[in-house]
Amino acid sequence: MAVLVSGASIAGLSVAYWLDRFGFDVTVVERAPALRVSGSPIDIRGDALQVASAMGIAEKVHDQRVATSGRNAFTTWVDAHGGPIAVLPNEYAADSPDDIEIARDNLIAILHEAIGPGVEFVYNDSIDTVVDTGGEVEVALSSGRSDRYDHVVGADGIHSTVREAVFGPEHQFRRHLDTYTALVDLPLGSGTSGESITFSTPGKMFCINDYVHRTIGFMAVRTPEVDYDNRDLADQKLVLAALLDGEGGWRSDFLMRSIAETDRLYFDSVSQVHMPQWSQGRVVLIGDAAHAASLFSGRGTSLAMIGAHHLATELAATPSEHAEAFGRYEQLMRPRVVTAQEGVSEARDFLVPATESELRSRNERFAVDAAR
Ligand SMILES: Cc1cc2nc3c(=O)[nH]c(=O)nc-3n(C[C@H](O)[C@H](O)[C@H](O)COP(=O)(O)OP(=O)(O)OC[C@H]3O[C@@H](n4cnc5c(N)ncnc54)[C@H](O)[C@@H]3O)c2cc1C
């Protein structure tokens, strides 16, 4: 059976691995010209660690966990002059001490390496049209290439093209959580070795995460949805600079300059995706495309890996009864997704308090003196 996977990130690479291993003929189409390797370290938690073991990548993942895995605090909040005022202990941002934090690009490379040579990768291309005839799916790509597949898996993230083409416009399913985030690579050594330091003002967050071998600036801003082209770097920079402007203090000027100078920025709305059903006919969604919990959940990567495993396992169990297989996959994943999506607004309010009084009460709760 031939399957087309749209998106070569955590969900797409994971499902390609499993489908190939179960004997499907797999093609992966990725819109970017190569695997996208930006982003800060991400968490692999709970059952996703078992999935990693079953994929034979647990050892590599463990070996490449980031150097801060043993640090004492998730972040230290500082005042405008860099003086520590509050500390967020690790346990507020983890499910268990066994959680693994790994650079997103390292995980992408590990997943990609694990995939057998039979899987075809098509970069710089995107699904244009999808026609489910009942017996197969006819797909045309933007490059002009067209083909027929038994199934299409949409693993193309929050702004999924497959979801838009088959299930309906994005605004029906994506909920903006009144926040945007940006991540930018900083010169090595521009942070405090192995530590995370954050400066907050009402509705804004400036953070430097130092992972010893890599330093990442992490900004967030509370705002309703903004109109911009999320594939145009210059437009992203313009919008972000306007949103973050006016907050002198600590190292915010340095971070603003880093945004202006970078050619590799991750900037997106903090959103969740809520859909009544993740499959229609022969097309099925996984990962953020189906059920983004937002990066404040810390569980998006684990859900993507677990979901890919369930989907491929169920489809392999009853390949000619895809509706039943997709139904079982959804049943297995729904409770996990509900748990991951709940409580995210609370985490957001906590990390990026919107008002002066929310900011004050958070800082008082985790005051440096109280932590001692
Ligand atoms: C560049 C990048 C950086 C990220 N950084 C972080 C981070 O620092 N922290 C965090 O918590 N989460 C981050 N995320 C999100 C995180 O990877 C996901 O929440 C989670 O791992 C689930 O992954 P996913 O594969 O479902 O979706 P995503 O990781 O969003 O991947 C979607 C993939 O589909 C591709 N794609 C999109 N549209 C098309 C199309 N039309 N045709 C073909 N391919 C398409 C994208 O280029 C991307 O490779 C980042 C995502 C990306 C893409």
Side-chain angles (χ1 to χ4, degrees):
M1 278 195 164
V3 181
L4 178 67
V5 177
S6 173
S9 181
I10 312 295
L13 294 173
S14 301
V15 84
Y17 168 89
W18 285 111
L19 288 170
D20 176 56
R21 184 161 146 181
F22 292 144
F24 291 82
D25 181 5
V26 184
T27 305
V28 180
V29 59
E30 164 60 50
R31 186 162 56 195
L35 293 173
R36 296 182 64 191
V37 292
S38 65
S40 71
I42 45 187
D43 288 349
I44 307 182
R45 301 182 180 185
D47 291 349
L49 293 164
Q50 271 85 66
V51 173
S53 289
M55 294 172 88
I57 60 170
E59 207 172 319
K60 277 191 190 168
V61 162
H62 196 271
D63 289 350
Q64 294 185 33
R65 65 197 302 178
V66 292
T68 55
S69 292
R71 77 181 171 207
N72 294 326
F74 184 74
T75 200
T76 298
W77 285 294
V78 296
D79 62 22
H81 307 289
I85 48 179
V87 171
L88 182 66
N90 269 333
E91 58 264 29
Y92 281 86
D95 286 347
S96 123
D98 297 331
D99 293 357
I100 285 191
E101 202 181 355
I102 180 169
R104 188 176 168 280
D105 47 1
N106 288 348
L107 180 58
I108 292 277
I110 291 171
L111 291 170
H112 187 241
E113 269 168 34
I115 294 173
V119 174
E120 184 193 1
F121 282 85
V122 180
Y123 292 102
N124 239 334
D125 216 342
S126 168
I127 288 179
D128 216 11
T129 57
V130 182
V131 180
D132 186 341
T133 63
E136 62 188 357
V137 197
E138 296 168 357
V139 177
L141 302 184
S142 310
S143 60
R145 173 176 166 166
S146 61
D147 240 316
R148 294 151 196 268
Y149 300 90
D150 293 288
H151 303 291
V152 170
V153 179
D156 41 7
I158 286 186
H159 308 289
S160 168
T161 299
V162 173
R163 193 182 59 226
E164 180 102 18
V166 176
F167 297 81
E170 181 169 312
H171 69 81
Q172 286 183 7
F173 308 114
R174 185 173 67 81
R175 295 186 197 160
H176 173 68
L177 299 182
D178 282 327
T179 311
Y180 282 85
T181 50
L183 296 155
V184 63
D185 272 296
L186 301 175
L188 262 187
S190 49
T192 304
S193 185
E195 299 292 327
S196 165
I197 311 286
T198 306
F199 169 59
S200 299
T201 62
K204 291 177 190 168
M205 181 190 95
F206 297 87
C207 171
I208 298 182
N209 279 326
D210 188 289
Y211 297 99
V212 185
H213 301 299
R214 189 154 174 203
T215 310
I216 292 177
F218 181 16
M219 278 68 63
V221 54
R222 297 284 291 266
T223 173
E225 202 128 21
V226 182
D227 194 23
Y228 71 101
D229 180 351
N230 69 8
R231 280 186 250 159
D232 180 338
L233 179 63
D235 204 19
Q236 291 183 345
K237 287 184 180 183
L238 219 63
V239 168
L240 186 55
L243 289 173
L244 289 173
D245 192 28
E247 298 298 334
W250 185 55
R251 302 186 66 195
S252 55
D253 288 349
F254 164 67
L255 286 165
M256 298 289 281
R257 264 200 319 280
S258 307
I259 292 168
E261 288 163 10
T262 190
D263 55 7
R264 221 174 61 164
L265 178 73
Y266 172 75
F267 173 59
D268 208 342
S269 145
V270 177
S271 295
Q272 290 191 337
V273 171
H274 293 260
M275 300 186 71
Q277 203 175 321
W278 299 333
S279 63
Q280 193 162 300
R282 293 179 167 271
V283 180
V284 61
L285 302 177
I286 58 168
D288 280 4
H291 50 64
S294 90
L295 90 175
F296 287 149
S297 79
R299 295 197 176 107
T301 297
S302 301
L303 288 176
M305 290 175 70
I306 298 167
H309 180 233
H310 281 316
L311 173 64
T313 305
E314 296 310 325
L315 195 55
T318 58
S320 52
E321 285 156 9
H322 58 270
E324 286 77 2
F326 294 164
R328 291 194 301 274
Y329 144 72
E330 193 163 330
Q331 243 174 10
L332 288 162
M333 286 303 292
R334 279 274 174 200
R336 294 177 185 278
V337 168
V338 170
T339 307
Q341 289 183 330
E342 278 170 1
V344 163
S345 305
E346 202 185 327
R348 173 207 56 193
D349 293 347
F350 193 68
L351 293 169
V352 201
T355 63
E356 185 69 52
S357 77
E358 282 174 22
L359 178 58
R360 201 174 324 113
S361 66
R362 181 202 68 188
N363 289 348
E364 281 167 10
R365 180 171 165 203
F366 294 101
V368 170
D369 290 345
R372 282 197 183 117

